[in-house]
Amino acid sequence: MIPRARLSAPSLFVGSGRARLGAFTLAVLAALTALGCKRPGAAAQTDGGVPDDAAAPPPAVQGQNAVPEPPPPPDKPLLGITAFVTTVYAEPRDTAKKLGYLRVGAKVARSEEPVGKAGCPGGWYEIHPKGFVCAGDEATTDLENPILKAAAKRPDLKAALPYRYAFVRAVLPLYVKVPTAKQQYDSEFKLQEHLDWYKQNEATVNQVVLGAPDVPIDDRGVPVPGKHIGEMGLGKNSQELALGQLLGGESDADPIPFWLEGGKRLIPNISDFKVPDFAVFADRARRHTGLSLIGSFPTGEDNLNRRFAITTDLRLAPNTKIKPDLGSPWHGLELTDEFSLPLAFVRTQGAKTYRISKGKAIPEVDVEWRSVHALAGTMKTVEGVKYYRTKDKRWLSQLDVGLAVPPASFPEDAEKGKKWIEISITNQTFVMWEGKRPIYATLVSTGKAGLDDPKKTTATVRGVFKIRNKHITATMDSNEGSSVGGAKVTTVAASHSPDGGGKAAAPKAGDKNAKPGGKPDPKAAAKGGKPAAKPAAAKPGAAKGKPAPAAGGAEKIPTKGDGEYGVTRRRGEGTFQLRDVPYIQYFESGYALHTAYWHDVFGTPRSHGCVNLSPVDAHRVFLWTDPPVPEGWHAVNAGEDFGEGTTVIVHE
């Protein structure tokens, strides 16, 4: 028998999309409760090296957001961040513990005067709510600094996606200044052929379907009941926006930014991919790379009338070679006293309800893919297959659904009334709990190796964990590796740091602090920004050349015939970057909860070990978990300074 719950609504349709999955079995938490709050085989410590119980989190808040630090006094002076990433230290020295980091353009309250200058000629400033930043190359007290103005657009934490996103449809250079027509022809292989193709297909290639930004959500990030996708009130949905807005601009005709006027670049190149000041571009982006954008602008005949999108590290991508992407609109649902566990999410297309008669299960009507149904708590086995009774007196096959059910017994955090997260690999379900009260449920995609050994395969690690650090965004390779999470980054040919271009230095084993790093490859670009090697031949709008496989056996880049790209095959797949993956929360080295803006198969094992959530769901979870990211910061480490992270329990 499935544990009973008070339910009234028989079913609910959540999100949209298509997927397939085979059989699975029901799992509960009973076996995990004995593990307590420590990870199997490891001392339970946060990134700060302190016990998990060193700082108790605030009481559960009935589904509300995590409570951030109080704002600073309004009369405090500000410190501006001028490097793409700047570390916050617990003490005024660069060997101290790392508390988190800030991104370019951020402005945070600071002390009136430096607290010291040891190892920092510009002075160490204490910032709000705590920690120290060195003024100099990475931060400034001059709020008129042009880099601060150029990077003034901040991530939107009220949105399911903090930036606008696009995928690269053909290999492109990432320009550091607005290129002339000649510079573009010199830098882009078979450019005229590509431009002819784009002119013929422009009307169709930039069309978008409604996605994650078009789901109405409240201040907690919870989808608003009764509102349909695209019902944005006074705002416009994505299909009503101009191309310039879809690529991060305020309008379709934004002017060329001040720092790019006259064909010059009036600010330094802040990407990790370093090139000489006279270079035209810094690095290339492969096909299917995901880009995060903060602006766009059109140009005139001297620049081939192309529009350029501005990336978060202030490089330029020509719009003819990128396509706006909105992520999946799929999302879970808020649980209430009227609609709660146990639930069944339909995970296969073509699923049906059944009538059970004389020892036979007789199929009846179709049920919507990823619809969710309240269960009555009754189960029957027919010819070796389990069937679950719904509140509206129908039967669903275990072959078609993933279950979210109350545990047989509760873990320690539940008994203490704390927040905790439960993830079932078998069911591909994800439930947020406050004490013994479930508040939100959804489908996820865990490691595609299922219940295999995580040390040898892409399976997701199982056990009891704590969130170690949280990042508003960070860049992952196509196998979901990122040095901010302590995993090896496997991207080849254009290996990148987790938060910018350039070749990343692999982190030392055990370095769990939230600080991206990396040294540039000085040989990566030749004089004038031209690559040392010629790019592969390309079809109009696409690249012919096949990339070398990534270390660890990365899959080939999807091509025509490999399935439906973005549905059965994920966007961004192969040996390249997924820039600014949103709402990342590491709970174990190399394993994180994070948005997957590149696929829409939630409910199917899909990842390389991380727990993939839809944009709406990942945003909801990020706002709720502890510790909250301080205002103006981009990432924070859990520990004695900001409190312990929320418990994450992953089980079969």
Side-chain angles (χ1 to χ4, degrees):
M1 295 285 288
I2 300 172
R4 296 181 181 273
R6 292 177 56 201
L7 304 168
S8 58
S11 65
L12 187 70
F13 295 91
V14 184
S16 61
R18 294 165 291 176
R20 299 186 62 85
L21 189 68
F24 60 89
T25 58
L26 173 64
V28 294
L29 283 170
L32 284 177
T33 342
L35 295 178
C37 293
K38 293 189 177 182
R39 300 192 304 276
Q45 288 190 342
T46 63
D47 291 338
V50 298
D52 280 334
D53 58 358
V61 287
Q62 300 301 304
Q64 298 298 312
N65 298 351
V67 180
E69 297 282 344
D75 57 345
K76 277 280 191 180
L78 300 178
L79 187 71
I81 305 305
T82 54
F84 189 59
V85 170
T86 299
T87 303
V88 181
Y89 295 96
E91 299 173 26
R93 52 185 175 84
D94 61 10
T95 56
K97 181 175 61 176
K98 299 169 184 176
L99 301 183
Y101 59 85
L102 310 171
R103 271 275 193 102
V104 64
K107 297 176 183 177
V108 291
R110 62 169 174 87
S111 56
E112 295 280 352
E113 300 294 335
V115 298
K117 293 189 176 182
C120 176
W124 289 97
Y125 285 88
E126 187 171 10
I127 67 165
H128 182 81
K130 60 186 66 178
F132 299 86
V133 170
C134 175
D137 292 340
E138 297 185 350
T140 181
T141 58
D142 177 13
L143 300 185
E144 297 301 312
N145 186 294
I147 293 180
L148 297 182
K149 294 182 178 181
K153 191 168 185 177
R154 313 302 305 135
D156 183 0
L157 298 188
K158 295 183 178 180
L161 290 173
Y163 301 111
R164 286 289 174 177
Y165 288 82
F167 279 94
V168 176
R169 61 160 61 99
V171 176
L172 58 81
L174 289 165
Y175 292 104
V176 291
K177 58 187 68 173
V178 182
T180 65
K182 182 180 185 305
Q183 289 169 335
Q184 293 177 59
Y185 281 118
D186 288 345
S187 303
E188 300 181 53
F189 188 69
K190 291 189 176 181
L191 178 56
Q192 189 58 56
E193 186 178 349
H194 164 78
L195 293 176
D196 292 342
W197 167 86
Y198 183 80
K199 185 175 181 179
Q200 294 174 0
N201 295 277
E202 182 177 5
T204 57
V205 296
N206 289 323
Q207 289 182 350
V208 296
V209 296
L210 297 178
D214 305 303
V215 176
I217 57 177
D218 64 21
D219 290 341
R220 300 170 298 153
V222 176
V224 178
K227 280 201 172 185
H228 298 290
I229 184 172
E231 293 183 357
M232 308 308 293
L234 298 177
K236 293 182 178 180
N237 66 41
S238 297
Q239 291 182 334
E240 297 168 330
L241 296 178
L243 178 61
Q245 295 168 302
L246 291 172
L247 297 178
E250 296 299 320
S251 72
D252 203 38
D254 289 359
I256 294 176
F258 75 92
W259 49 279
L260 292 169
E261 290 176 347
K264 300 178 181 180
R265 185 180 178 93
L266 304 179
I267 60 173
N269 167 30
I270 63 168
S271 78
D272 283 347
F273 197 93
K274 303 304 181 185
V275 292
D277 289 341
F278 55 77
V280 177
F281 66 88
D283 203 7
R284 294 181 182 272
R286 287 178 176 269
R287 247 185 108 200
H288 308 316
T289 293
L291 300 178
S292 50
L293 309 172
I294 58 171
S296 73
F297 56 89
T299 62
E301 292 184 5
D302 291 345
N303 311 102
L304 299 180
N305 294 306
R306 289 171 102 181
R307 173 182 295 279
F308 290 89
I310 305 171
T311 64
T312 52
D313 58 4
L314 304 181
R315 291 182 286 179
L316 308 178
N319 84 286
T320 64
K321 292 190 172 181
I322 61 177
K323 178 177 175 56
D325 192 87
L326 304 175
S328 169
W330 157 258
H331 59 79
L333 72 157
E334 185 171 29
L335 303 178
T336 65
D337 289 342
E338 290 71 36
F339 195 91
S340 190
L341 307 185
L343 302 172
F345 288 88
V346 175
R347 297 199 298 161
T348 62
Q349 293 186 76
K352 294 181 179 293
T353 61
Y354 290 83
R355 174 170 56 88
I356 295 178
S357 177
K358 298 179 180 179
K360 297 288 183 181
I362 303 164
E364 294 188 316
V365 300
D366 293 339
V367 286
E368 181 80 11
W369 177 52
R370 292 198 300 212
S371 57
V372 57
H373 303 261
L375 298 178
T378 304
M379 179 186 72
K380 286 187 178 181
T381 301
V382 178
E383 297 179 331
V385 177
K386 294 176 182 177
Y387 291 84
Y388 306 111
R389 183 75 159 175
T390 66
K391 292 289 286 185
D392 57 352
K393 301 180 180 179
R394 300 182 291 177
W395 294 90
L396 295 172
S397 168
Q398 74 173 109
L399 304 180
D400 296 325
V401 300
L403 302 182
V405 301
S409 59
F410 283 95
E412 182 179 349
D413 278 359
E415 298 291 349
K416 293 181 177 179
K418 294 182 179 181
K419 299 175 182 177
W420 58 288
I421 290 168
E422 177 209 352
I423 301 163
S424 168
I425 293 175
T426 300
N427 291 288
Q428 295 292 288
T429 52
F430 180 108
V431 181
M432 296 161 55
W433 293 82
E434 290 182 351
K436 297 182 180 180
R437 175 177 176 259
I439 65 166
Y440 195 87
T442 191
L443 289 171
V444 294
S445 290
T446 61
K448 60 186 174 183
L451 297 174
D452 289 349
D453 185 354
K455 295 181 180 179
K456 300 178 181 179
T457 69
T458 58
T460 300
V461 66
R462 298 184 289 280
V464 181
F465 311 96
K466 295 281 187 182
I467 289 175
R468 297 178 167 198
N469 48 60
K470 295 173 63 173
H471 310 254
I472 293 173
T473 65
T475 293
M476 290 181 164
D477 68 14
S478 54
N479 293 326
E480 297 180 326
S482 176
S483 63
V484 298
K488 183 178 180 181
V489 179
T490 58
T491 305
V492 297
S495 186
H496 304 277
S497 76
D499 270 301
K503 188 168 287 186
K508 294 180 180 180
D511 182 8
K512 301 164 187 172
N513 287 308
K515 170 64 173 81
K519 296 181 179 180
D521 181 357
K523 299 180 181 179
K527 184 177 180 181
K530 295 182 181 179
K534 292 183 179 180
K539 292 180 180 179
K544 282 183 179 178
K546 295 182 179 180
E555 294 180 278
K556 67 177 183 178
I557 294 176
T559 59
K560 186 176 181 180
D562 283 343
E564 189 171 353
Y565 188 54
V567 179
T568 59
R569 302 287 293 181
R570 66 180 185 148
R571 298 186 293 273
E573 188 168 29
T575 53
F576 35 78
Q577 284 184 311
L578 296 164
R579 304 273 177 89
D580 278 319
V581 174
Y583 306 126
I584 299 174
Q585 306 185 72
Y586 279 96
F587 58 87
E588 176 69 326
S589 180
Y591 296 90
L593 316 174
H594 66 76
T595 297
Y597 62 79
W598 49 88
H599 77 70
D600 188 15
V601 292
F602 303 101
T604 302
R606 184 73 197 142
S607 77
H608 285 77
C610 288
V611 178
N612 289 182
L613 294 107
S614 75
V616 173
D617 289 338
H619 175 242
R620 166 60 176 138
V621 176
F622 191 88
L623 293 181
W624 173 79
T625 54
D626 293 312
V629 177
E631 184 178 354
W633 293 38
H634 204 78
V636 68
N637 283 320
E640 61 183 341
D641 295 282
F642 289 102
E644 71 173 11
T646 298
T647 295
V648 177
I649 298 178
V650 186
H651 63 91
E652 292 187 4

